[in-house]
Amino acid sequence: MKGLTLGQGSGGRLTQSLIADLARAFGEGSPREMEDCALLPEGMAVTIDGFTVSPRTFPGGDIGKLALCGSINDLAVRGAEPRYIALSVIAEEGFDEEELSRHLSSAGRICRDERIRLVAGDTKVVPRGAVDGLFLTVAGLGLPRRRPELAMTNLRPGDSLILTGPPGRHGAVIASERYGLATEGLKSDCAPLWDLLSPLLDLPGLKTMRDCTRGGLGTVLCEWTEAAGLAATIDEADLPVDEGVLSVADLLGFDPLYLACEGTALLALAPEEADQALARLRSHPLGQEAALIGQITDDPLGLVEMTTLAGGSRIIDMPVGEILPRIC
Amino acid sequence: MKGLTLGQGSGGRLTQSLIADLARAFGEGSPREMEDCALLPEGMAVTIDGFTVSPRTFPGGDIGKLALCGSINDLAVRGAEPRYIALSVIAEEGFDEEELSRHLSSAGRICRDERIRLVAGDTKVVPRGAVDGLFLTVAGLGLPRRRPELAMTNLRPGDSLILTGPPGRHGAVIASERYGLATEGLKSDCAPLWDLLSPLLDLPGLKTMRDCTRGGLGTVLCEWTEAAGLAATIDEADLPVDEGVLSVADLLGFDPLYLACEGTALLALAPEEADQALARLRSHPLGQEAALIGQITDDPLGLVEMTTLAGGSRIIDMPVGEILPRIC
């Protein structure tokens, strides 16, 4: 018997292989073609995500807000306007009803703010010990507002890479809570991104976008270059920085590049449109730290390289093992 | 602190109140108006369900098949043709990969047989102890094939009630496995119902349909009459019977009327179309035991009454507490 490892849930290489098994069982093609959100021929976009975050409440959010933002952002980065959600609640016998109500309310608040309707729900209560507290699964439905479709396969050498904020804030917060660190001022970036990203959808040179969740910025860059058969370079000096993230990462030995974001996206677009995109992003409260961090290249080795602050060069590889379980 | 009880997950009265809390948190109306499956103005139907069944493999199916059938049936009973699913997998660290693969394969088999595509997926692996093995959540998407819409509020006094097979087979199987009974020949009714039910959609007098899952036939009857402000009578002598279900129910003290089905539906339709509906149902392998079991009435007390085999009368009330946890 071969048992599942936490690494298979961490968003890196092992997760890819688990998803490949899943796709195979359903007779679907290579999961490389599977984006986080599907565009259906009937004109709707759909995404699904399970949320198991621990702790359930953290600086900047809770499992309810996180679940909504995760779904909204999966739709938003594919250019789909979030419209409906379906929510499945699995709770443990004895779970505090007030806490449940708090998490549902914060999910509900995001729905109201973003004009999204809850259209279907399911609740299961399982015996004590069968689940750790509360898991939520959200399916998000939206309306595609972008033609041609955004997709990793649109990437071309020379495309500019823009990051909408500092990487790793959500992961750093969860790590810091988990290890009992008090990191002043550090908050999860957990936020709905449709309002920030939708003004970019009329830029014809916009190629693709992705929120840097499990596996962080590093994993997204590796997935993009693999899917497109290209390479990328980024410059450490250009990365937006959150000092809190750096100190948590330093203390715990994490690399911020692989720490999850929940309200920060990577964008690729034609270089002549980069300034315009940056200006639009920076005019929004969630995009004030947006920065041009590098570009797509056609380096034949297909690597993601980072010019370090020290002036050297470092390969950004897809993470293989566990990073931090139950980040989302 | 008030903690959740297993009864809140059992599909009866307490589940209703939990779902009402959920709807309130999202600013949605009364959950009485919330059917198991929503019809969106964009012309799609959507449903979501979490699956936590224990044991995961049982006579007649497993968690993978069950998850698919549950979604398909929620769509089918609203007259929507199942087309796509999105699947969220939450598995425990150390979970046997071969077992996972078996469950995904049985889900995949149903997809292929029913011409449904997996369009989005998510996998999470949580640390040992954070979940009991494997939970699946499925969002199902379909195309409505019925105008006017099927809904509980279409019910009128005199409508015939047809049950497509004997009640309680899924619940009896799970109970029998859980309590270590060997019940020869007893199998879960777990099956996809679109193929059985879709030929009825052109009957103009068809009012509503429901698969009798958590809470069983008794709960569906109570929900229907409450939602429509009507009453119902059924005749025990007309109920299709599975001897295996009766003996498990007898041994364990369960009432088959409240035991879950996963491939058996209740239908309400104008009495003049009942014969035609029965003929169509019985011509399908899954509907050979279909029977006319009673009718909707306008009894002012709003009760569901059953004429018993002994010739007496019994009230079928909405169950309040726990029936059998982790049935689905």
Side-chain angles (χ1 to χ4, degrees):
Chain A
M1 166 180 147
K2 220 175 122 218
L4 288 176
T5 62
L6 285 174
Q8 285 168 307
S10 64
R13 181 73 64 196
L14 295 172
T15 300
Q16 280 194 335
S17 100
L18 184 59
I19 291 177
D21 291 348
L22 195 158
R24 208 170 309 117
F26 286 82
E28 295 295 332
S30 152
R32 288 213 191 151
E33 293 150 28
M34 282 176 81
E35 304 259 359
D36 281 353
C37 161
L39 303 178
L40 306 182
E42 287 79 6
M44 292 211 84
V46 57
T47 179
I48 194 162
D49 274 296
F51 295 87
T52 67
V53 65
S54 168
R56 285 181 295 271
T57 302
F58 46 82
D62 70 352
I63 190 172
K65 180 182 179 188
L66 184 68
L68 263 286
C69 293
S71 278
I72 289 170
N73 296 347
D74 277 351
L75 293 166
V77 295
R78 294 236 45 204
E81 182 185 345
R83 293 297 286 272
Y84 307 103
I85 63 145
L87 173 66
S88 148
V89 177
I90 299 180
E92 186 178 12
E93 178 188 11
F95 190 78
D96 181 8
E97 289 196 48
E98 271 175 35
E99 185 185 344
L100 177 61
S101 167
R102 265 202 316 280
H103 297 313
L104 294 180
S105 294
S106 49
R109 200 169 311 122
I110 301 284
C111 274
R112 276 192 297 282
D113 292 352
E114 302 286 314
R115 296 168 304 281
I116 292 170
R117 281 200 57 203
L118 171 76
V119 290
D122 181 53
T123 54
K124 296 276 188 312
V125 182
V126 295
R128 240 173 261 273
V131 72
D132 181 17
L134 178 70
F135 290 173
L136 302 178
T137 296
V138 175
L141 296 163
L143 301 176
R145 299 299 190 198
R146 163 76 187 196
R147 287 270 152 204
E149 284 176 17
L150 302 176
M152 299 184 270
T153 45
N154 293 336
L155 293 171
R156 296 291 175 269
D159 283 345
S160 295
L161 295 170
I162 289 177
L163 190 64
T164 65
R169 280 187 294 188
H170 180 70
V173 162
I174 297 299
S176 147
E177 294 285 303
R178 202 83 65 73
Y179 292 94
L181 305 177
T183 315
E184 213 168 319
L186 181 63
K187 271 172 61 178
S188 168
D189 57 337
C190 179
L193 292 178
W194 172 248
D195 203 46
L196 171 73
L197 299 178
S198 54
L200 305 186
L201 294 178
D202 65 354
L203 293 175
L206 184 65
K207 305 299 182 66
T208 191
M209 309 195 280
R210 181 77 73 82
D211 52 333
C212 306
T213 56
R214 270 191 295 178
L217 172 64
T219 301
V220 173
L221 283 167
C222 292
E223 283 183 12
W224 280 11
T225 51
E226 268 191 36
L230 292 167
T233 59
I234 63 171
D235 198 324
E236 191 171 13
D238 293 329
L239 285 177
V241 165
D242 182 311
E243 292 297 338
V245 174
L246 293 192
S247 62
V248 170
D250 224 34
L251 264 166
L252 298 176
F254 288 120
D255 182 338
L257 287 185
Y258 297 116
L259 283 177
C261 311
E262 289 291 346
T264 303
L266 182 68
L267 284 59
L269 73 176
E272 61 276 16
E273 291 176 357
D275 284 346
Q276 211 177 346
L278 276 172
R280 292 187 195 179
L281 290 169
R282 287 177 183 155
S283 73
H284 190 283
L286 293 173
Q288 288 177 355
E289 296 168 85
L292 179 69
I293 63 161
Q295 58 182 333
I296 297 293
T297 69
D298 55 2
D299 183 292
L301 291 176
L303 297 175
V304 179
E305 274 189 278
M306 179 167 82
T307 307
T308 62
L309 285 172
S313 171
R314 186 192 136 190
I315 303 300
I316 309 293
D317 205 357
M318 181 85 87
V320 174
E322 171 196 353
I323 300 170
L324 184 69
R326 301 185 69 187
I327 198 89
C328 60
Chain B
M1 166 180 146
K2 219 175 123 219
L4 288 176
T5 62
L6 285 175
Q8 284 168 308
S10 64
R13 181 73 65 196
L14 295 173
T15 300
Q16 280 194 335
S17 100
L18 183 59
I19 291 178
D21 291 348
L22 195 159
R24 207 171 310 116
F26 286 82
E28 294 296 332
S30 152
R32 287 211 194 153
E33 294 150 27
M34 283 178 80
E35 303 258 0
D36 281 354
C37 161
L39 304 178
L40 306 182
E42 287 79 6
M44 291 210 84
V46 57
T47 180
I48 194 162
D49 273 296
F51 295 87
T52 67
V53 65
S54 167
R56 285 181 295 271
T57 302
F58 47 82
D62 70 351
I63 191 172
K65 180 181 179 188
L66 183 68
L68 263 286
C69 292
S71 278
I72 289 170
N73 295 346
D74 277 351
L75 293 166
V77 295
R78 294 238 43 206
E81 181 185 347
R83 292 297 287 271
Y84 307 103
I85 62 146
L87 173 66
S88 148
V89 176
I90 299 180
E92 186 179 12
E93 178 189 10
F95 190 79
D96 181 7
E97 289 195 49
E98 271 175 37
E99 185 185 345
L100 177 62
S101 167
R102 265 203 316 279
H103 298 312
L104 294 180
S105 294
S106 48
R109 200 170 311 122
I110 302 284
C111 274
R112 276 192 298 282
D113 291 352
E114 302 285 313
R115 296 168 304 281
I116 292 170
R117 279 199 58 203
L118 170 76
V119 290
D122 181 53
T123 55
K124 295 277 189 312
V125 182
V126 295
R128 239 173 261 274
V131 72
D132 180 17
L134 178 71
F135 290 173
L136 301 179
T137 295
V138 176
L141 296 162
L143 301 176
R145 299 300 189 199
R146 163 77 187 195
R147 287 272 151 201
E149 284 176 16
L150 301 177
M152 299 185 271
T153 46
N154 293 337
L155 293 170
R156 295 292 174 270
D159 283 345
S160 295
L161 295 170
I162 289 177
L163 190 65
T164 65
R169 280 187 294 187
H170 180 70
V173 162
I174 297 299
S176 147
E177 294 285 303
R178 202 83 65 73
Y179 292 94
L181 305 177
T183 315
E184 213 167 320
L186 181 64
K187 271 173 62 178
S188 168
D189 57 337
C190 178
L193 293 177
W194 173 247
D195 203 45
L196 171 72
L197 299 178
S198 54
L200 305 185
L201 294 178
D202 65 355
L203 294 175
L206 184 65
K207 305 300 182 66
T208 191
M209 309 195 280
R210 181 77 73 81
D211 52 333
C212 306
T213 56
R214 270 191 295 178
L217 172 64
T219 301
V220 173
L221 284 167
C222 291
E223 283 184 13
W224 280 10
T225 51
E226 268 191 37
L230 292 167
T233 59
I234 62 171
D235 197 324
E236 192 172 12
D238 294 329
L239 284 177
V241 166
D242 182 311
E243 292 298 338
V245 173
L246 293 192
S247 62
V248 170
D250 223 36
L251 265 166
L252 298 176
F254 288 120
D255 182 338
L257 286 184
Y258 297 117
L259 283 177
C261 312
E262 290 291 346
T264 303
L266 182 68
L267 283 58
L269 73 177
E272 61 275 17
E273 291 176 358
D275 284 345
Q276 210 176 347
L278 277 172
R280 291 188 195 177
L281 289 169
R282 288 176 183 155
S283 73
H284 190 282
L286 293 174
Q288 288 177 355
E289 296 168 84
L292 179 68
I293 63 161
Q295 58 182 335
I296 297 293
T297 69
D298 55 2
D299 183 292
L301 292 176
L303 297 174
V304 179
E305 274 190 279
M306 180 167 81
T307 306
T308 62
L309 284 172
S313 172
R314 186 192 136 191
I315 304 300
I316 309 293
D317 205 357
M318 181 85 86
V320 174
E322 170 196 354
I323 300 171
L324 184 69
R326 300 186 70 186
I327 197 90
C328 60

mmCIF file of all heavy atoms in Angstrom, chain B residues 208-235:
data_model
loop_
_atom_site.group_PDB
_atom_site.id
_atom_site.type_symbol
_atom_site.label_atom_id
_atom_site.label_comp_id
_atom_site.label_asym_id
_atom_site.label_seq_id
_atom_site.Cartn_x
_atom_site.Cartn_y
_atom_site.Cartn_z
ATOM 1 N N THR B 208 -43.334 17.773 -9.874
ATOM 2 C CA THR B 208 -42.013 17.848 -9.250
ATOM 3 C C THR B 208 -41.500 16.433 -9.014
ATOM 4 O O THR B 208 -42.271 15.459 -9.045
ATOM 5 C CB THR B 208 -42.054 18.677 -7.941
ATOM 6 O OG1 THR B 208 -40.723 18.936 -7.507
ATOM 7 C CG2 THR B 208 -42.819 17.951 -6.837
ATOM 8 N N MET B 209 -40.198 16.312 -8.817
ATOM 9 C CA MET B 209 -39.576 15.009 -8.539
ATOM 10 C C MET B 209 -38.510 15.249 -7.469
ATOM 11 O O MET B 209 -37.984 16.352 -7.345
ATOM 12 C CB MET B 209 -38.898 14.446 -9.791
ATOM 13 C CG MET B 209 -39.789 14.418 -11.040
ATOM 14 S SD MET B 209 -39.121 13.370 -12.378
ATOM 15 C CE MET B 209 -37.883 14.465 -13.110
ATOM 16 N N ARG B 210 -38.183 14.195 -6.731
ATOM 17 C CA ARG B 210 -37.108 14.338 -5.738
ATOM 18 C C ARG B 210 -36.511 12.967 -5.468
ATOM 19 O O ARG B 210 -37.244 11.985 -5.295
ATOM 20 C CB ARG B 210 -37.651 14.911 -4.426
ATOM 21 C CG ARG B 210 -36.579 15.121 -3.346
ATOM 22 C CD ARG B 210 -35.727 16.349 -3.563
ATOM 23 N NE ARG B 210 -36.474 17.552 -3.274
ATOM 24 C CZ ARG B 210 -36.675 18.030 -2.033
ATOM 25 N NH1 ARG B 210 -36.131 17.427 -0.995
ATOM 26 N NH2 ARG B 210 -37.374 19.133 -1.853
ATOM 27 N N ASP B 211 -35.174 12.895 -5.442
ATOM 28 C CA ASP B 211 -34.559 11.643 -5.014
ATOM 29 C C ASP B 211 -34.589 11.621 -3.482
ATOM 30 O O ASP B 211 -34.300 12.620 -2.825
ATOM 31 C CB ASP B 211 -33.142 11.484 -5.573
ATOM 32 C CG ASP B 211 -32.250 12.667 -5.311
ATOM 33 O OD1 ASP B 211 -32.763 13.795 -5.162
ATOM 34 O OD2 ASP B 211 -31.029 12.490 -5.228
ATOM 35 N N CYS B 212 -34.984 10.489 -2.930
ATOM 36 C CA CYS B 212 -35.240 10.400 -1.480
ATOM 37 C C CYS B 212 -33.957 10.059 -0.732
ATOM 38 O O CYS B 212 -33.811 8.943 -0.233
ATOM 39 C CB CYS B 212 -36.307 9.351 -1.210
ATOM 40 S SG CYS B 212 -37.811 9.631 -2.144
ATOM 41 N N THR B 213 -33.019 11.009 -0.645
ATOM 42 C CA THR B 213 -31.722 10.738 -0.011
ATOM 43 C C THR B 213 -31.835 10.878 1.512
ATOM 44 O O THR B 213 -32.698 10.266 2.116
ATOM 45 C CB THR B 213 -30.644 11.648 -0.615
ATOM 46 O OG1 THR B 213 -31.067 12.997 -0.476
ATOM 47 C CG2 THR B 213 -30.460 11.360 -2.098
ATOM 48 N N ARG B 214 -30.966 11.670 2.133
ATOM 49 C CA ARG B 214 -30.968 11.808 3.596
ATOM 50 C C ARG B 214 -32.370 12.066 4.118
ATOM 51 O O ARG B 214 -33.041 12.988 3.674
ATOM 52 C CB ARG B 214 -30.109 13.019 3.997
ATOM 53 C CG ARG B 214 -28.674 12.669 4.233
ATOM 54 C CD ARG B 214 -27.951 13.837 4.869
ATOM 55 N NE ARG B 214 -27.880 15.017 3.989
ATOM 56 C CZ ARG B 214 -27.327 16.166 4.351
ATOM 57 N NH1 ARG B 214 -26.825 16.309 5.562
ATOM 58 N NH2 ARG B 214 -27.272 17.175 3.504
ATOM 59 N N GLY B 215 -32.783 11.288 5.065
ATOM 60 C CA GLY B 215 -34.119 11.485 5.620
ATOM 61 C C GLY B 215 -35.176 10.654 4.916
ATOM 62 O O GLY B 215 -36.298 10.534 5.399
ATOM 63 N N GLY B 216 -34.839 10.131 3.732
ATOM 64 C CA GLY B 216 -35.706 9.180 3.046
ATOM 65 C C GLY B 216 -37.029 9.742 2.538
ATOM 66 O O GLY B 216 -37.264 10.960 2.519
ATOM 67 N N LEU B 217 -37.893 8.827 2.128
ATOM 68 C CA LEU B 217 -39.197 9.161 1.577
ATOM 69 C C LEU B 217 -40.023 10.021 2.538
ATOM 70 O O LEU B 217 -40.675 10.993 2.128
ATOM 71 C CB LEU B 217 -39.951 7.849 1.268
ATOM 72 C CG LEU B 217 -41.417 7.954 0.861
ATOM 73 C CD1 LEU B 217 -41.559 8.714 -0.454
ATOM 74 C CD2 LEU B 217 -42.051 6.570 0.753
ATOM 75 N N GLY B 218 -39.990 9.670 3.824
ATOM 76 C CA GLY B 218 -40.794 10.395 4.809
ATOM 77 C C GLY B 218 -40.447 11.880 4.828
ATOM 78 O O GLY B 218 -41.338 12.747 4.848
ATOM 79 N N THR B 219 -39.152 12.187 4.799
ATOM 80 C CA THR B 219 -38.716 13.585 4.848
ATOM 81 C C THR B 219 -39.127 14.332 3.583
ATOM 82 O O THR B 219 -39.559 15.488 3.647
ATOM 83 C CB THR B 219 -37.191 13.637 5.060
ATOM 84 O OG1 THR B 219 -36.897 12.970 6.290
ATOM 85 C CG2 THR B 219 -36.697 15.066 5.137
ATOM 86 N N VAL B 220 -38.994 13.690 2.436
ATOM 87 C CA VAL B 220 -39.384 14.350 1.181
ATOM 88 C C VAL B 220 -40.873 14.694 1.217
ATOM 89 O O VAL B 220 -41.278 15.816 0.870
ATOM 90 C CB VAL B 220 -39.053 13.467 -0.044
ATOM 91 C CG1 VAL B 220 -39.612 14.091 -1.322
ATOM 92 C CG2 VAL B 220 -37.554 13.268 -0.165
ATOM 93 N N LEU B 221 -41.689 13.752 1.647
ATOM 94 C CA LEU B 221 -43.134 14.017 1.718
ATOM 95 C C LEU B 221 -43.439 15.201 2.636
ATOM 96 O O LEU B 221 -44.252 16.073 2.300
ATOM 97 C CB LEU B 221 -43.875 12.765 2.208
ATOM 98 C CG LEU B 221 -44.050 11.648 1.166
ATOM 99 C CD1 LEU B 221 -44.495 10.355 1.845
ATOM 100 C CD2 LEU B 221 -45.050 12.069 0.085
ATOM 101 N N CYS B 222 -42.753 15.254 3.786
ATOM 102 C CA CYS B 222 -42.988 16.373 4.712
ATOM 103 C C CYS B 222 -42.524 17.701 4.105
ATOM 104 O O CYS B 222 -43.198 18.716 4.227
ATOM 105 C CB CYS B 222 -42.268 16.125 6.036
ATOM 106 S SG CYS B 222 -42.990 14.761 6.978
ATOM 107 N N GLU B 223 -41.367 17.686 3.442
ATOM 108 C CA GLU B 223 -40.874 18.926 2.835
ATOM 109 C C GLU B 223 -41.817 19.419 1.737
ATOM 110 O O GLU B 223 -42.088 20.611 1.623
ATOM 111 C CB GLU B 223 -39.469 18.720 2.261
ATOM 112 C CG GLU B 223 -38.399 18.702 3.339
ATOM 113 C CD GLU B 223 -36.985 18.598 2.767
ATOM 114 O OE1 GLU B 223 -36.818 18.793 1.548
ATOM 115 O OE2 GLU B 223 -36.072 18.315 3.561
ATOM 116 N N TRP B 224 -42.287 18.497 0.930
ATOM 117 C CA TRP B 224 -43.187 18.884 -0.157
ATOM 118 C C TRP B 224 -44.477 19.506 0.370
ATOM 119 O O TRP B 224 -44.910 20.558 -0.104
ATOM 120 C CB TRP B 224 -43.532 17.656 -1.014
ATOM 121 C CG TRP B 224 -42.474 17.293 -1.997
ATOM 122 C CD1 TRP B 224 -41.212 17.804 -2.065
ATOM 123 C CD2 TRP B 224 -42.584 16.332 -3.059
ATOM 124 N NE1 TRP B 224 -40.527 17.216 -3.102
ATOM 125 C CE2 TRP B 224 -41.351 16.318 -3.724
ATOM 126 C CE3 TRP B 224 -43.606 15.489 -3.500
ATOM 127 C CZ2 TRP B 224 -41.108 15.485 -4.827
ATOM 128 C CZ3 TRP B 224 -43.366 14.670 -4.596
ATOM 129 C CH2 TRP B 224 -42.126 14.667 -5.255
ATOM 130 N N THR B 225 -45.087 18.821 1.325
ATOM 131 C CA THR B 225 -46.382 19.317 1.797
ATOM 132 C C THR B 225 -46.214 20.653 2.523
ATOM 133 O O THR B 225 -47.032 21.548 2.373
ATOM 134 C CB THR B 225 -47.074 18.276 2.700
ATOM 135 O OG1 THR B 225 -46.149 17.853 3.708
ATOM 136 C CG2 THR B 225 -47.502 17.063 1.902
ATOM 137 N N GLU B 226 -45.121 20.788 3.270
ATOM 138 C CA GLU B 226 -44.859 22.073 3.939
ATOM 139 C C GLU B 226 -44.666 23.194 2.933
ATOM 140 O O GLU B 226 -45.231 24.274 3.064
ATOM 141 C CB GLU B 226 -43.593 21.987 4.791
ATOM 142 C CG GLU B 226 -43.879 21.595 6.219
ATOM 143 C CD GLU B 226 -42.653 21.776 7.106
ATOM 144 O OE1 GLU B 226 -41.882 22.740 6.911
ATOM 145 O OE2 GLU B 226 -42.480 20.937 7.998
ATOM 146 N N ALA B 227 -43.840 22.933 1.920
ATOM 147 C CA ALA B 227 -43.530 23.973 0.932
ATOM 148 C C ALA B 227 -44.781 24.371 0.158
ATOM 149 O O ALA B 227 -44.960 25.536 -0.199
ATOM 150 C CB ALA B 227 -42.437 23.492 -0.019
ATOM 151 N N ALA B 228 -45.653 23.406 -0.099
ATOM 152 C CA ALA B 228 -46.833 23.692 -0.918
ATOM 153 C C ALA B 228 -48.043 24.086 -0.072
ATOM 154 O O ALA B 228 -49.072 24.472 -0.612
ATOM 155 C CB ALA B 228 -47.166 22.464 -1.772
ATOM 156 N N GLY B 229 -47.932 23.969 1.263
ATOM 157 C CA GLY B 229 -49.076 24.251 2.124
ATOM 158 C C GLY B 229 -50.201 23.248 1.918
ATOM 159 O O GLY B 229 -51.383 23.598 1.995
ATOM 160 N N LEU B 230 -49.843 22.010 1.629
ATOM 161 C CA LEU B 230 -50.836 20.973 1.376
ATOM 162 C C LEU B 230 -50.582 19.778 2.293
ATOM 163 O O LEU B 230 -49.786 19.859 3.221
ATOM 164 C CB LEU B 230 -50.776 20.559 -0.104
ATOM 165 C CG LEU B 230 -51.242 21.655 -1.078
ATOM 166 C CD1 LEU B 230 -50.868 21.299 -2.500
ATOM 167 C CD2 LEU B 230 -52.764 21.875 -0.953
ATOM 168 N N ALA B 231 -51.257 18.674 2.029
ATOM 169 C CA ALA B 231 -51.084 17.459 2.823
ATOM 170 C C ALA B 231 -50.932 16.288 1.852
ATOM 171 O O ALA B 231 -50.973 16.480 0.630
ATOM 172 C CB ALA B 231 -52.288 17.255 3.736
ATOM 173 N N ALA B 232 -50.727 15.093 2.389
ATOM 174 C CA ALA B 232 -50.584 13.921 1.520
ATOM 175 C C ALA B 232 -51.044 12.678 2.253
ATOM 176 O O ALA B 232 -50.993 12.616 3.477
ATOM 177 C CB ALA B 232 -49.128 13.765 1.081
ATOM 178 N N THR B 233 -51.516 11.698 1.481
ATOM 179 C CA THR B 233 -51.791 10.377 2.064
ATOM 180 C C THR B 233 -51.072 9.341 1.215
ATOM 181 O O THR B 233 -51.036 9.458 -0.015
ATOM 182 C CB THR B 233 -53.300 10.004 2.047
ATOM 183 O OG1 THR B 233 -53.755 10.025 0.687
ATOM 184 C CG2 THR B 233 -54.115 10.989 2.855
ATOM 185 N N ILE B 234 -50.484 8.367 1.878
ATOM 186 C CA ILE B 234 -49.914 7.242 1.145
ATOM 187 C C ILE B 234 -50.460 5.963 1.767
ATOM 188 O O ILE B 234 -50.977 5.976 2.885
ATOM 189 C CB ILE B 234 -48.367 7.232 1.141
ATOM 190 C CG1 ILE B 234 -47.801 7.096 2.563
ATOM 191 C CG2 ILE B 234 -47.821 8.495 0.483
ATOM 192 C CD1 ILE B 234 -46.288 6.852 2.587
ATOM 193 N N ASP B 235 -50.335 4.881 1.000
ATOM 194 C CA ASP B 235 -50.890 3.606 1.453
ATOM 195 C C ASP B 235 -49.739 2.610 1.576
ATOM 196 O O ASP B 235 -49.052 2.311 0.604
ATOM 197 C CB ASP B 235 -51.925 3.120 0.424
ATOM 198 C CG ASP B 235 -52.823 2.055 1.029
ATOM 199 O OD1 ASP B 235 -52.310 1.250 1.850
ATOM 200 O OD2 ASP B 235 -54.019 2.036 0.696
#
